[in-house]
Amino acid sequence: MAKDNHIGTMLITGNGFDLNLGMKTGYKDFFYLMESIGFWDKYKENRLLSYIYQKGAKEYWYSFEDVIKDFAIRSTGHSELIVNDCKTALTLLKVELCKFIDKARPIYGHYSAAAKILCALFGCDGSGAVAWNENLRNRYDDFTERYNLPKFKFVTFNYTNPNLWLMRIIKMFVEKPLVENISSMSEYVYNIHGNLEGNIVFGTDEDYRIPKELLFLQKSNYLEKNTKSRFYQDLCNSKRIVIFGHSIHGIDFEYYERFFKDKDNIRDIYILDYSKESLNEIKKCLELKDIFLSAKYIITDVYNNDFSNLCDIINKEQSQV
């Protein structure tokens, strides 16, 4: 592998990461907001939206992607009416979801695990917010028109714009002004499923049981051409892979499958979640897919020694650049 392509840490995040930052981005909150404004009642004649509402109201099942796939598989006849309902539902949900997520904001200055690991990626982490400020202030004199970022990748499966609030979180701990428009940021940070400024990729994962008339419900139809290959190459080129708040055994497993099943891809893999139970569930579900990772499963908490040690390792590498 070429040394120039070497990535120190690849941080991969799901909605659990945004929630840890204090952002209201959960599908559960979205479901209830839509209920409060009468969305579900207004479109109750739409078969797919009605199905989503029934699942959410009666079974407390808020993973819209799973519900959409379940509806597509269960639908019989696949008439033109069902196809039209699905197209309408997808459009309406995307519009409302974008408005909902656009209002979400991190809690700036909050000492969260997500904020801590972001600062570690920039090599400016410490035992607390004071240390972040001190380290950045001391390094400020070295800044020119370009902040030469250490080699890392920050890849999110969320729709939020990481470039914007990534820098704002860092700036909270800097007394001197830090220029927000860091050049070449897209080389380091990107969204898998699009963002609000562009076009979000919304729908379900691939499944052979989905009839051809409803294949437009699959996310793969809206991804940029090289999205999956770029993600795979970044996994292969990374020394360390940290997965934070992302259910890798669920709807997005297809992104990891090739890498996980290749025995030659030996990397330091860290899977972070909020409880021992949820980590055990991830491990169990992966093993059911015949994936046995020599990964480190860590509870995401700033006061957890394993998590703090991981941040220290990343920070030490990044701060030496």
Side-chain angles (χ1 to χ4, degrees):
M1 183 178 300
K3 201 169 185 179
D4 289 345
N5 294 331
H6 182 74
I7 300 167
T9 297
M10 182 177 181
L11 175 63
I12 305 166
T13 63
N15 199 42
F17 184 85
D18 281 5
L19 293 173
N20 190 257
L21 286 171
M23 303 180 77
K24 295 291 185 181
T25 56
Y27 276 154
K28 182 177 180 179
D29 291 325
F30 177 64
F31 178 90
Y32 282 129
L33 175 63
M34 292 299 98
E35 186 174 46
S36 69
I37 65 174
F39 176 85
W40 305 117
D41 187 59
K42 181 178 180 180
Y43 296 105
K44 61 184 177 182
E45 300 303 322
N46 183 289
R47 294 165 179 79
L48 176 53
L49 293 177
S50 176
Y51 190 76
I52 291 173
Y53 176 70
Q54 290 171 20
K55 289 290 184 181
K58 296 179 181 179
E59 300 181 20
Y60 303 99
W61 186 13
Y62 305 103
S63 178
F64 290 168
E65 293 99 334
D66 285 337
V67 179
I68 291 170
K69 181 169 71 172
D70 190 64
F71 177 84
I73 293 171
R74 288 173 178 267
S75 294
T76 57
H78 315 301
S79 67
E80 185 177 347
L81 290 175
I82 290 179
V83 171
N84 289 337
D85 274 0
C86 287
K87 288 181 178 179
T88 300
L90 214 60
T91 300
L92 291 170
L93 285 172
K94 286 176 67 173
V95 169
E96 295 299 333
L97 190 59
C98 284
K99 290 193 290 187
F100 168 71
I101 294 176
D102 190 46
K103 295 178 181 178
R105 295 291 184 274
I107 301 176
Y108 296 119
H110 175 56
Y111 188 48
S112 65
K116 179 176 175 62
I117 203 165
L118 281 180
C119 286
L121 279 177
F122 272 75
C124 53
D125 182 32
S127 59
V130 174
W132 298 347
N133 181 48
E134 188 68 24
N135 285 340
L136 273 176
R137 189 170 64 247
N138 289 342
R139 294 179 62 185
Y140 188 86
D141 292 337
D142 296 330
F143 294 167
T144 57
E145 293 181 359
R146 175 187 174 92
Y147 178 12
N148 292 313
L149 295 171
K151 274 283 193 177
F152 71 85
K153 291 287 182 179
F154 174 24
V155 184
T156 176
F157 280 78
N158 306 325
Y159 302 127
T160 47
N161 182 354
N163 288 342
L164 181 62
W165 46 256
L166 173 64
M167 288 313 304
R168 288 182 178 175
I169 287 171
I170 301 295
K171 286 171 66 179
M172 287 299 298
F173 307 105
V174 185
E175 294 175 2
K176 294 184 179 182
L178 180 62
V179 178
E180 198 164 288
N181 58 336
I182 292 180
S183 59
S184 303
M185 196 63 165
S186 61
E187 297 175 16
Y188 301 89
V189 184
Y190 62 91
N191 298 68
I192 287 285
H193 290 150
N195 56 56
L196 304 182
E197 288 72 29
N199 184 34
I200 68 170
V201 176
F202 182 74
T204 186
D205 60 341
E206 295 180 10
D207 193 298
Y208 71 91
R209 295 170 296 174
I210 296 177
K212 63 179 182 179
E213 294 85 358
L214 299 178
L215 289 179
F216 63 86
L217 293 173
Q218 295 182 163
K219 288 181 178 179
S220 57
N221 291 282
Y222 309 100
L223 289 174
E224 291 185 14
K225 184 177 180 181
N226 298 321
T227 299
K228 289 185 178 179
S229 60
R230 179 186 184 185
F231 183 71
Y232 174 76
Q233 288 302 320
D234 284 342
L235 288 172
C236 292
N237 290 336
S238 298
K239 172 183 177 182
R240 179 183 304 106
I241 297 167
V242 180
I243 301 169
F244 189 134
H246 188 223
S247 182
I248 55 178
H249 63 278
I251 194 168
D252 294 321
F253 173 73
E254 63 191 73
Y255 291 88
Y256 299 91
E257 185 173 12
R258 178 183 171 193
F259 179 81
F260 284 166
K261 288 188 173 180
D262 188 341
K263 304 302 181 184
D264 293 331
N265 288 324
I266 301 174
R267 300 288 183 277
D268 289 335
I269 300 176
Y270 298 82
I271 298 175
L272 281 52
D273 219 306
Y274 298 102
S275 69
K276 190 173 182 179
E277 291 73 23
S278 60
L279 289 171
N280 287 338
E281 179 67 17
I282 292 173
K283 184 177 181 181
K284 178 181 176 181
C285 289
L286 287 174
E287 290 176 351
L288 288 173
K289 296 177 182 291
D290 201 30
I291 303 294
F292 297 88
L293 297 177
S294 58
K296 298 177 179 66
Y297 293 83
I298 296 177
I299 295 175
T300 304
D301 188 320
V302 291
Y303 302 108
N304 177 12
N305 286 335
D306 289 337
F307 177 76
S308 294
N309 290 339
L310 171 60
C311 289
D312 288 343
I313 291 171
I314 295 171
N315 180 68
K316 184 176 180 180
E317 289 183 2
Q318 302 299 78
S319 61
Q320 290 174 349
V321 175

